[in-house]
């Protein structure tokens, strides 16, 4: 039965390890240096014996490596209580590796680590020795720092002798598994309910075609057809009554939302998701876009928005680039053209990483200004960073609306994005609506 010897984080990449190179050099020196030049029989004997042992260990290691390459069948799976259980960033997820047909010769051991498609994510290394006819399962906890989609694509096996002199590496490809990591979930949102498209007056548009559930009852008419007759009512009363579908009711508005957030901006993404779920509960339709979305896709529900955030996370850039500007311009133009004359507001969630400097804040302000240029009202949503109270003075009267969420640095434990004061000042001068979330 194999034994778990240790759990480490590095391994050699050469056939002979550093220890093996040093010892082999010493043995060669004994055999061909002192042994032959000085006719030292003892040195020759010692050098020959240890070189033979070194070669024997190399042969054993090679045979075990060949067995691992041909027979070992690793299977990767996640440990979740339910298949639908979500994985959130910042929380540990357990990745299991099931090894079948593990065969290791005496004096050899196997060191194993998982390979993900993101080189920045590294895992620890498991060390095994012995053999087993039954499958062996290894577990590894990994914490994903931000939302995204990752894959475990292979298992790297390092076969060594028991003394750490030989090292042979083998990469075993596996059936890749997707790991979808969501931003932390918030139960509710405290933001004001806003809609981008409003219906006029107090009326709610009704669809011309009835497509609701069969709840309305009316006296039978030959045009209704037999299938709509309520036969139970007829059996009790003898009257022919038909069931009619209710009128289809459209939601009163639509919310057009764009999330400008880098991969590490999970908190603002969590707030955006909570806000969209709140809008859905009020039957307000959602049109959502975010930076990094492949083929500039949009989402029409909170579930689709979550999938879009996950799939686009690794496509976001660390700095605001021309790609982000083009993505936002396309989203803005496509939505204004689709709802020409109906759009009132564009809701923008801005991540802290997009306000790291005054230059970043100026880029964000230019994007928001494009909303204004299209005749729309931008609604900017940022996280409450506890801005310094001295930021407000007699010369910043336009920022008086921000006093309710500004506290002193002495009480603040949060880092203030360097570009946020710049964005606030620009927002105040342009009368842009700015909301904050915790």
């Amino acid at each position: 039965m194999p034994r778990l010897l240790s759990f480490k984080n590095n391994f050699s990449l050469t056939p002979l390890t550093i220890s093996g190179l040093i010892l082999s050099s010493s043995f060669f020196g004994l055999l061909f240096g002192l042994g032959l030049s000085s006719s030292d029989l003892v040195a020759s004997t010692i050098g020959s014996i240890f070189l033979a042992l070194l070669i024997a260990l190399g042969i054993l290691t090679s045979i075990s490596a060949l067995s691992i390459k041909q027979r070992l069948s690793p299977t990767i799976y996640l440990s979740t209580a339910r298949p639908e259980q979500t994985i959130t960033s910042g929380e540990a997820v357990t990745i299991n590796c099931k090894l079948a047909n593990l065969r290791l010769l005496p004096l050899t051991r196997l060191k194993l680590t998982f390979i993900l498609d993101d080189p920045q994510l590294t895992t620890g290394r498991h060390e095994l020795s012995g053999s087993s006819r039954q499958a062996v399962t290894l577990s590894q906890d990994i914490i994903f720092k931000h939302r995204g989609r990752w894959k475990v694509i292979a298992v790297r096996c390092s076969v060594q002798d028991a003394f750490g002199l030989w090292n042979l590496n083998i990469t075993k490809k596996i059936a890749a598994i997707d790991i979808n990591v969501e931003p932390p979930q918030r139960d509710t949102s405290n933001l004001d309910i806003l809609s981008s498209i409003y219906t006029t007056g107090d009326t709610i548009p009704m669809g011309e075609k009835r497509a609701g559930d069969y709840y309305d009852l009316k006296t039978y008419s030959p045009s209704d057809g037999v299938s709509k007759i309520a036969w139970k009512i007829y059996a009790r009363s003898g009257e022919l009554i038909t069931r009619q579908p209710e009128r289809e009711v459209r939601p009163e508005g639509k919310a057009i939302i764009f999330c400008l957030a880098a991969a590490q901006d999970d908190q603002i993404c969590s707030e955006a998701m909570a806000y969209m779920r709140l809008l859905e509960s009020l039957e307000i339709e959602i049109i959502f876009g975010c930076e990094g979305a492949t083929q500039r896709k949009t989402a029409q529900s909170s579930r689709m928005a979550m999938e879009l955030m996950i799939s686009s996370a690794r496509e976001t850039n660390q700095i605001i680039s021309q790609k982000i500007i083009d993505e936002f311009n396309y989203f803005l133009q496509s939505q204004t053209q689709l709802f020409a004359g109906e759009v009132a507001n564009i809701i923008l969630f801005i991540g802290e990483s997009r306000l790291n400097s005054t230059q970043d804040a100026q880029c964000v302000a230019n994007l928001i200004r494009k909303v204004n240029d299209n005749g729309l009202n931008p609604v900017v949503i940022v996280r409450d960073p506890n801005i310094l109270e001295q930021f407000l003075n007699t010369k910043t009267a336009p920022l008086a609306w921000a006093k309710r969420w500004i506290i002193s640095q002495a009480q603040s434990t949060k880092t203030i994005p360097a570009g946020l004061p710049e964005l606030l000042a620009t927002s105040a001068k342009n009368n842009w609506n700015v909301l904050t979330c915790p």
Side-chain angles (χ1 to χ4, degrees), residues 46 50 120 159 345:
I46 294 175
F50 280 101
Q120 296 181 351
V159 184
N345 305 314

Side-chain angles (χ1 to χ4, degrees), residues 275-295:
Y275 187 62
M276 284 186 281
R277 285 192 292 268
L278 177 60
L279 294 178
E280 282 184 328
S281 68
L282 300 173
E283 297 186 346
I284 295 178
E285 292 185 19
I286 297 169
I287 301 171
F288 175 82
C290 63
E291 65 170 283
T294 56
Q295 300 177 356

Side-chain angles (χ1 to χ4, degrees), residues 228-388:
K228 295 181 181 179
I229 296 177
W231 294 108
K232 291 184 178 180
I233 296 177
Y234 173 75
R236 291 195 303 267
S237 64
E239 296 182 19
L240 288 175
I241 302 296
T242 59
R243 295 183 183 274
Q244 299 293 321
E246 290 182 317
R247 290 186 181 272
E248 185 179 19
V249 180
R250 292 192 323 187
E252 295 188 21
K254 293 182 176 66
I256 301 177
I257 303 171
F258 191 87
C259 188
L260 193 65
Q264 60 268 32
D265 290 325
D266 276 358
Q267 295 301 322
I268 197 69
C269 293
S270 297
E271 180 61 36
M273 287 303 307
Y275 187 62
M276 284 186 281
R277 285 192 292 268
L278 177 60
L279 294 178
E280 282 184 328
S281 68
L282 300 173
E283 297 186 346
I284 295 178
E285 292 185 19
I286 297 169
I287 301 171
F288 175 82
C290 63
E291 65 170 283
T294 56
Q295 300 177 356
R296 297 176 176 175
K297 293 180 179 178
T298 58
Q300 286 73 45
S301 68
S302 60
R303 183 65 256 176
M304 293 175 62
M306 177 65 79
E307 294 175 358
L308 197 61
M309 283 185 180
I310 292 174
S311 62
S312 64
R314 293 171 63 183
E315 299 299 326
T316 60
N317 298 325
Q318 294 301 316
I319 59 175
I320 298 180
S321 62
Q322 185 62 41
K323 176 185 175 184
I324 297 176
I325 297 173
D326 293 341
E327 289 172 348
F328 180 76
N329 288 338
Y330 177 83
F331 177 83
L332 181 62
Q333 293 173 7
S334 62
Q335 299 309 316
T336 52
Q337 291 175 3
L338 184 61
F339 303 103
E342 300 180 23
V343 179
N345 305 314
I346 297 290
I347 305 170
L348 302 172
F349 285 85
I350 310 296
E352 294 179 6
S353 296
R354 295 295 172 242
L355 300 171
N356 281 334
S357 66
T358 55
Q359 183 179 2
D360 289 340
Q362 291 172 359
C363 292
V364 172
N366 290 335
L367 293 179
I368 301 173
R369 196 170 285 112
K370 291 181 181 295
V371 178
N372 264 156
D373 294 342
N374 283 269
L376 307 176
N377 300 320
V379 179
V380 181
I381 299 176
V382 295
R383 292 191 66 208
D384 181 354
N386 295 344
I387 291 202
L388 304 180

Side-chain angles (χ1 to χ4, degrees), residues 106-301:
L107 299 179
T108 61
R109 57 191 177 186
L110 171 66
K111 298 179 180 181
L112 183 144
T113 188
F114 306 137
I115 301 177
L116 288 87
D117 59 343
D118 184 354
Q120 296 181 351
L121 279 175
T122 58
T123 64
R125 183 190 61 182
H126 296 273
E127 186 173 324
L128 296 166
S129 68
S131 300
S132 175
R133 294 184 179 181
Q134 298 179 348
V136 179
T137 301
L138 304 177
S139 298
Q140 167 78 68
D141 287 341
I142 298 180
I143 297 177
F144 296 93
K145 295 183 179 180
H146 58 78
R147 72 191 186 283
R149 179 170 293 155
W150 285 269
K151 291 183 178 180
V152 182
I153 58 176
V155 173
R156 181 180 293 132
C157 303
S158 177
V159 184
Q160 293 185 354
D161 64 280
F163 305 101
L165 304 178
W166 291 92
N167 181 83
L168 298 173
N169 291 311
I170 301 167
T171 299
K172 299 284 292 185
K173 292 185 178 181
I174 61 173
I177 60 169
D178 290 332
I179 303 176
N180 295 323
V181 180
E182 300 181 356
Q185 184 172 340
R186 294 190 181 184
D187 296 331
T188 186
S189 174
N190 296 323
L191 294 172
D192 297 336
I193 303 300
L194 297 171
S195 179
S196 298
I197 304 173
Y198 295 98
T199 57
T200 58
D202 296 328
T203 60
I204 299 177
M206 301 294 185
E208 292 297 330
K209 181 181 178 181
R210 290 171 171 256
D213 294 327
Y214 289 94
Y215 288 125
D216 289 354
L217 301 177
K218 62 180 286 290
T219 304
Y220 172 76
S221 173
S223 61
D224 294 335
V226 178
S227 60
K228 295 181 181 179
I229 296 177
W231 294 108
K232 291 184 178 180
I233 296 177
Y234 173 75
R236 291 195 303 267
S237 64
E239 296 182 19
L240 288 175
I241 302 296
T242 59
R243 295 183 183 274
Q244 299 293 321
E246 290 182 317
R247 290 186 181 272
E248 185 179 19
V249 180
R250 292 192 323 187
E252 295 188 21
K254 293 182 176 66
I256 301 177
I257 303 171
F258 191 87
C259 188
L260 193 65
Q264 60 268 32
D265 290 325
D266 276 358
Q267 295 301 322
I268 197 69
C269 293
S270 297
E271 180 61 36
M273 287 303 307
Y275 187 62
M276 284 186 281
R277 285 192 292 268
L278 177 60
L279 294 178
E280 282 184 328
S281 68
L282 300 173
E283 297 186 346
I284 295 178
E285 292 185 19
I286 297 169
I287 301 171
F288 175 82
C290 63
E291 65 170 283
T294 56
Q295 300 177 356
R296 297 176 176 175
K297 293 180 179 178
T298 58
Q300 286 73 45
S301 68

